[in-house]
Amino acid sequence: MYGTSLGGETYRFADLKSLMAKATPLRSGDQLAGVAALRDVERVAAQVALAELPLKTFLTEAVVPYETDEVTRLIIDTHDAAAFGPVSSMTVGDLRDWLLSDSADSAALAALAPGLTPEMAAAVSKLCRIQDLILIAKKCHVVTGFRDTVGLPGHLSTRLQPNHPTDDLRGIAASILDGLMYGSGDAVIGINPATDNLHATVQLLHLLDEIIHEHGIPTQSCVLSHVTNTMAAIEEGAPVDLTFQSIAGTQKANESFGISLALLAEAHEATLSLGRGTVGDNVMYFETGQGSCLSADAHHGVDQQTLESRAYAVARRYRPLLVNTVVGFIGPEYLYDGKQIIRAGLEDHFCGKLLGVPMGCDICYTNHAEADQNDMDMLLTLLGTAGINFIMGIPGSDDVMLNYQTTSFHDALYARRVLGLRPAPEFEDWLDRSGLMAKDGGFTPAARPPAVLSQRLSLLEAG
Amino acid sequence: MADLPDQRNQDPWARLRRHTSARIALGRTGVSLSTARNLEFQIAHAQARTAVHSVLDLDLLEQQTGPLIRTASRAPDRAAYLQRPDWGRRLDDASAQALEAQPKGADIAIVLADGLSSLATQDQAPGFLAAFLPMLDGLSVAPLVAATQARVAIGDEIGAILGARMVVVLIGERPGLSAADSLGLYLTFGPRLGRSDADRNCISNIRPGGLAAPDAAHRAAWLVREAFKLGLSGVGLKDRTVTVDALPE
């Protein structure tokens, strides 16, 4: 039982998960789950009580039972007590103050990451304003590599997302060439296939492999199919750079995705064994998003932001190249409008970075949510300021396969120009060398396709 | 998509547009979209918002599909539907009772659901069924069920009440900017309350310009046969069809 007094009234919270849920800034998913604070003053009371909570509590009281949930077991069993040492006597409120202080520099934060549990990160985020979420996250550097280096300070990478409604190979190639002309694709060239069809997945993998090697592009490919599909593709000898999987913060939600930690470990090993990376061996690409546990009826009465943070504990176990919170994809029943989406995107980036996860964000919305391009411009500008590792890049913001809106090739160039953020260094060299985009800081694409792309372009134009 | 005039800011590879409905070769002013391209986007967004709120015309649908058992979810209206997916997954009491009165034990129950775009169900479901039903040789099909303000999982309850061995749900997908009429198909073997997404196989983007109805029907019929052979659906059932949709047009 936790509680506090405020304005002569006493507020009680039955357990840790209830305290965390009531302290969470308002969002529709927590209201849907019936765990949200009923009044603003109850929310602040929960935040006051949460601020006084010793961090050690999170090591002895689980929000999802240890006995029945393998994600909780992963969190507790791999907790690094030595790394936790410097903050072990702090409360959640103390931790926020320390994170904002000048002693919490990049090196100290990197050392702390394995000592923090996802619930601690979620708890402190609930006490943070948006400027705190930005200021602290900006100090956290999580750098990963495969054929180029993603996440260096001062850099912003993009996933080129050339989706097509029927996986038409020429249609996908056309979107890839369009994206490369706009300097997109240094995080990954990643396709969401239209079906689970294994044959189609293998065809797409070969197309991506050809384009990357034909043009000597320092980037990696991914077909975002179920992990078991990618494992089957590996068995067939297909050229797999990164293995993808959607993950969530509870065992039951992961089961609804058809995965377990053992399966992810097996996929990680299989992908590593291919040895296709050149500058690094981070071979996993994970996607997450607030609301996925509730959507799978696997939330255990825990608020969606805390559960999202727990998904990052799953992710970091397999040393991913990229982790992407697909923040506005899930719909208005979880994040109702632009205001909720913006806050959630910044919380996810903050919690992931604090835990040592290479966070990117699919800054997006659907047509049944109360949001529009202006909301996306705000979140893009804020996440760029916070040091996000990567965002999506799609032609004209319109995903014609998944039917939602995310950031465009143009949007990424806007952010790079306004905030002075560069592509991954190996990729930037390639853009400069091949005449696609000069390395002069102006981020201006070439007006005409240079020689390196002209052969494939004329083939497609004629085809 | 709308096509407003914009002569000044074209990209020279605009010919590639015939390979994809994606918004490629948009051109730029500085690194930004021109006024014309920006307004085209706003038009499409306004149209998609309209599609979300349109209503399924069951009388019209019945003219094309034959008799439908009409059911509704527990979501009383569109606003409730958008905020309460749990209500959209369950039948209201009257609908459940109406289904109880039906004959039981067919091999397949088929549900036509509005989902997030009734436009998709209205336009694509009849053509898909015309191609799909003749492919179900030797299997018995329950009377067709229509479900409004419905989510995918409503098929679990419908299939269970009808005592069907499998349920196939045709449902309007979330409208996009370029396609507001895209139909999804979800196949679940052994339908009952509590099935999860891992228990289902999905075929999406069924529409002209996406996956054509005959190709979708071919793929769906293959999944139906495999599911009956294996006695399961979902991640344990891999779609190994080699169909024409992945090849050049």
Side-chain angles (χ1 to χ4, degrees):
Chain A
M1 176 75 83
Y2 302 90
T4 193
S5 291
L6 212 64
E9 210 172 323
T10 302
Y11 296 86
R12 301 198 181 285
F13 308 98
D15 51 18
L16 183 56
K17 67 184 178 189
S18 166
L19 176 66
M20 296 275 278
K22 301 279 188 190
T24 306
L26 181 68
R27 64 209 55 196
S28 51
D30 291 338
Q31 292 178 309
L32 176 63
V35 300
L38 297 178
R39 291 179 296 139
D40 286 346
V41 66
E42 186 190 19
R43 177 170 299 109
V44 184
Q47 289 171 348
V48 170
L50 185 61
E52 291 162 0
L53 187 79
L55 288 174
K56 277 182 180 154
T57 312
F58 291 102
L59 299 177
T60 52
E61 191 174 342
V63 294
V64 181
Y66 180 94
E67 295 71 23
T68 54
D69 187 280
E70 65 173 358
V71 177
T72 302
R73 291 198 290 276
L74 171 73
I75 292 165
I76 297 301
D77 297 350
T78 63
H79 180 251
D80 185 334
F84 180 60
V87 299
S88 60
S89 60
M90 291 185 188
T91 62
V92 177
D94 293 337
L95 178 62
R96 176 184 169 278
D97 291 342
W98 182 77
L99 291 171
L100 288 166
S101 78
D102 293 334
S103 27
D105 59 14
S106 298
L109 289 169
L112 175 65
L116 289 180
T117 68
E119 290 85 354
M120 294 175 194
V124 75
S125 80
K126 295 175 196 301
L127 303 183
C128 286
R129 287 167 51 191
I130 278 185
Q131 66 168 269
D132 307 335
L133 297 174
I134 293 174
L135 186 69
I136 296 166
K138 194 178 175 64
K139 296 194 280 186
C140 300
H141 307 147
V142 183
V143 181
T144 56
F146 190 80
R147 287 196 195 97
D148 60 356
T149 310
V150 180
L152 290 167
H155 294 256
L156 172 69
S157 295
T158 57
R159 165 187 166 195
L160 204 175
Q161 185 170 314
N163 295 347
H164 185 277
T166 61
D167 295 338
D168 178 83
L169 296 180
R170 287 183 302 187
I172 285 171
S175 286
I176 293 175
L177 292 177
D178 194 52
L180 291 174
M181 282 300 302
Y182 279 84
S184 183
D186 52 332
V188 63
I189 303 176
I191 304 169
N192 297 91
T195 71
D196 305 329
N197 186 281
L198 185 61
H199 176 75
T201 296
V202 170
Q203 271 195 318
L204 293 172
L205 284 166
H206 281 289
L207 171 73
L208 292 175
D209 190 51
E210 276 170 32
I211 290 178
I212 286 173
H213 285 99
E214 201 171 286
H215 303 100
I217 312 174
T219 190
Q220 37 283 333
S221 73
C222 188
V223 175
L224 284 71
S225 196
H226 192 266
V227 63
T228 55
N229 254 7
T230 304
M231 290 166 78
I234 290 174
E235 272 173 39
E236 287 194 10
V240 172
D241 288 345
L242 307 180
T243 291
F244 167 82
Q245 183 55 44
S246 291
I247 57 171
T250 68
Q251 178 176 337
K252 193 177 170 198
N254 285 328
E255 282 167 359
S256 86
F257 292 154
I259 61 163
S260 65
L261 298 182
L263 183 64
L264 291 178
E266 197 184 328
H268 184 220
E269 283 306 311
T271 319
L272 266 181
S273 74
L274 301 177
R276 293 170 58 86
T278 51
V279 306
D281 67 348
N282 301 107
V283 298
M284 301 301 282
Y285 174 10
F286 294 120
E287 285 189 351
T288 65
Q290 290 190 26
S292 58
C293 290
L294 176 57
S295 167
D297 192 24
H299 62 95
H300 300 272
V302 180
D303 70 88
Q304 66 184 32
Q305 191 260 331
T306 300
L307 292 170
E308 170 71 6
S309 190
R310 283 166 56 95
Y312 307 147
V314 175
R316 71 173 168 181
R317 179 73 173 159
Y318 310 101
R319 302 192 300 108
L321 181 77
L322 309 164
V323 176
N324 178 24
T325 170
V326 191
V327 69
F329 188 78
I330 191 162
E333 60 270 40
Y334 305 93
L335 295 167
Y336 183 69
D337 56 12
K339 185 180 170 88
Q340 294 187 7
I341 292 171
I342 288 168
R343 164 103 198 168
L346 290 161
E347 288 168 347
D348 293 352
H349 176 250
F350 168 91
C351 288
K353 283 285 178 72
L354 214 49
L355 294 167
V357 170
M359 288 306 292
C361 183
D362 192 336
I363 298 164
C364 63
Y365 66 106
T366 60
N367 289 317
H368 63 318
E370 295 299 320
D372 62 21
Q373 293 297 93
N374 294 308
D375 297 301
M376 299 303 105
D377 289 344
M378 287 191 270
L379 183 52
L380 169 59
T381 308
L382 295 171
L383 281 171
T385 307
I388 188 99
N389 283 23
F390 68 101
I391 59 172
M392 306 305 107
I394 205 162
S397 290
D398 174 13
D399 189 314
V400 295
M401 203 287 282
L402 292 172
N403 290 334
Y404 77 119
Q405 287 84 251
T406 181
T407 44
S408 68
F409 304 141
H410 295 74
D411 291 338
L413 294 178
Y414 146 77
R416 280 176 179 166
R417 223 179 226 196
V418 166
L419 301 170
L421 301 169
R422 316 186 76 97
E426 300 87 348
F427 194 85
E428 187 177 35
D429 285 345
W430 176 78
L431 288 173
D432 186 52
R433 207 165 58 233
S434 52
L436 281 157
M437 191 180 284
K439 213 173 165 177
D440 59 6
F443 308 103
T444 308
R448 311 209 140 265
V452 66
L453 291 186
S454 58
Q455 193 188 356
R456 208 165 249 276
L457 266 173
S458 34
L459 272 174
L460 268 179
E461 283 179 340
Chain B
M1 74 185 173
D3 200 6
L4 299 178
D6 180 12
Q7 300 309 315
R8 287 163 299 167
N9 304 295
Q10 294 278 343
D11 281 325
W13 55 95
R15 286 184 64 202
L16 296 193
R17 277 195 204 146
R18 68 205 156 96
H19 294 306
T20 179
S21 52
R23 291 166 195 259
I24 63 169
L26 290 182
R28 57 190 174 83
T29 172
V31 298
S32 302
L33 285 182
S34 68
T35 304
R37 298 289 92 84
N38 195 46
L39 287 173
E40 282 168 5
F41 184 98
Q42 298 305 335
I43 293 167
H45 184 232
Q47 287 170 338
R49 297 275 296 156
T50 304
V52 170
H53 296 277
S54 61
V55 176
L56 188 60
D57 184 339
L58 291 170
D59 294 334
L60 179 62
L61 192 60
E62 225 165 21
Q63 287 170 23
Q64 297 164 293
T65 61
L68 297 166
I69 304 172
R70 300 184 180 195
T71 68
S73 80
R74 293 182 184 177
D77 55 36
R78 208 58 176 165
Y81 173 78
L82 289 174
Q83 290 170 60
R84 293 298 301 259
D86 51 336
W87 291 350
R89 295 185 192 118
R90 294 297 305 274
L91 290 167
D92 68 12
D93 291 342
S95 300
Q97 281 163 18
L99 284 180
E100 291 286 0
Q102 293 294 321
K104 305 285 164 64
D107 291 320
I108 304 181
I110 298 176
V111 179
L112 283 59
D114 52 359
L116 283 166
S117 169
S118 57
L119 188 62
T121 315
Q122 199 90 57
D123 291 357
Q124 319 310 344
F128 172 83
L129 288 175
F132 179 61
L133 290 173
M135 294 180 182
L136 301 176
D137 272 352
L139 296 170
S140 58
V141 181
L144 296 177
V145 177
T148 51
Q149 308 294 8
R151 304 261 171 183
V152 171
I154 204 164
D156 297 340
E157 186 171 12
I158 292 171
I161 294 177
L162 292 176
R165 296 171 66 201
M166 174 189 292
V167 67
V168 169
V169 178
L170 302 172
I171 189 164
E173 294 179 339
R174 185 162 62 196
L177 294 191
S178 304
D181 60 347
S182 200
L183 187 73
L185 178 151
Y186 291 82
L187 178 155
T188 312
F189 187 86
R192 55 177 159 76
L193 288 180
R195 284 291 189 193
S196 77
D197 291 345
D199 300 321
R200 311 186 201 286
N201 290 84
C202 172
I203 298 173
S204 62
N205 265 298
I206 304 172
R207 64 179 172 90
L211 184 61
D215 293 339
H218 166 74
R219 182 167 277 177
W222 187 91
L223 285 172
V224 168
R225 284 194 298 275
E226 284 300 300
F228 275 116
K229 202 184 292 173
L230 298 172
L232 56 80
S233 59
V235 294
L237 169 55
K238 289 274 169 275
D239 179 1
R240 290 178 188 273
T241 52
V242 181
T243 48
V244 289
D245 67 273
L247 301 175
E249 291 153 12

